[in-house]
Amino acid sequence: MKGTYLLVLKLEYGVSIKDRWRLEPGLYAYVGSAMNDLVARVSRHLRKEKKKHWHIDHLLEHAKILSVIMIPSELRLEESLSLALSKRFDGPVGFGSSDLKVKTNLYRVDQIDELFKVIGGFLQRGG
């Protein structure tokens, strides 16, 4: 099953990721895609022991995953979901988005209800 996913994360303390991004404590939303195996990709993120490959792997050493939203689709929706989130939330430029036209795939969430409102609107529009 192919698709896009969103991880809702809680960071308890400030951290520097790869000496490039300084993240403050709080809630974050990370957008990713898995165009080979959605379940396997999300399962990998949930494992503690893994080789660090993506920016999110470095953040997950410090952050706790609170929720996972999986959106099965043959279409790559990562960029459009990230764009929808960027209209409401800010994030560190370049995090997880080097192959996309969006500035980031990680967003600092100040109001969780606003996050779910954006996601709900995105799903209602069909991506």
Side-chain angles (χ1 to χ4, degrees), residues 2 11 13 18 23 26-27 29 32 39 48 56 59 79 85 88 98 103 105 113 116 120 124 127:
K2 298 177 180 184
L11 187 60
Y13 51 88
K18 297 189 78 169
L23 302 177
L27 294 177
V39 173
K48 291 291 179 192
I56 188 65
L59 177 54
E79 192 165 347
L85 290 170
R88 171 58 181 84
S98 57
K103 292 182 182 178
N105 264 350
D113 57 328
F116 289 110
Q124 285 180 333

Side-chain angles (χ1 to χ4, degrees), residues 5-9 38-50 54 56-57 60-61 63-70:
Y5 61 91
L6 186 131
L7 305 177
V8 179
L9 311 170
L38 181 59
V39 173
R41 176 66 54 86
V42 170
S43 296
R44 181 187 184 283
H45 288 316
L46 294 171
R47 286 196 318 262
K48 291 291 179 192
E49 299 297 321
K50 61 187 162 241
W54 295 290
I56 188 65
D57 294 334
L60 289 175
E61 286 187 320
K64 178 180 177 182
I65 297 175
L66 299 179
S67 180
V68 176
I69 298 170
M70 294 191 290

Side-chain angles (χ1 to χ4, degrees), residues 19-30:
D19 294 327
R20 183 169 171 193
W21 300 285
R22 176 72 188 157
L23 302 177
E24 297 303 319
L27 294 177
Y28 290 85
Y30 174 79

Side-chain angles (χ1 to χ4, degrees), residues 70-125:
M70 294 191 290
I71 307 168
S73 177
E74 292 293 315
L75 302 174
R76 183 179 286 270
L77 300 174
E78 174 186 8
E79 192 165 347
S80 56
L81 176 55
S82 193
L83 183 61
L85 290 170
S86 74
K87 293 176 181 174
R88 171 58 181 84
F89 303 103
D90 292 319
V93 174
F95 193 101
S97 63
S98 57
D99 59 340
L100 303 173
K101 294 176 184 167
V102 293
K103 292 182 182 178
T104 187
N105 264 350
L106 180 68
Y107 297 92
R108 175 80 188 269
V109 176
D110 55 349
Q111 295 179 8
I112 194 76
D113 57 328
E114 288 293 316
L115 172 65
F116 289 110
K117 186 186 293 184
V118 172
I119 295 166
F122 177 83
L123 293 173
Q124 285 180 333
R125 289 187 304 276

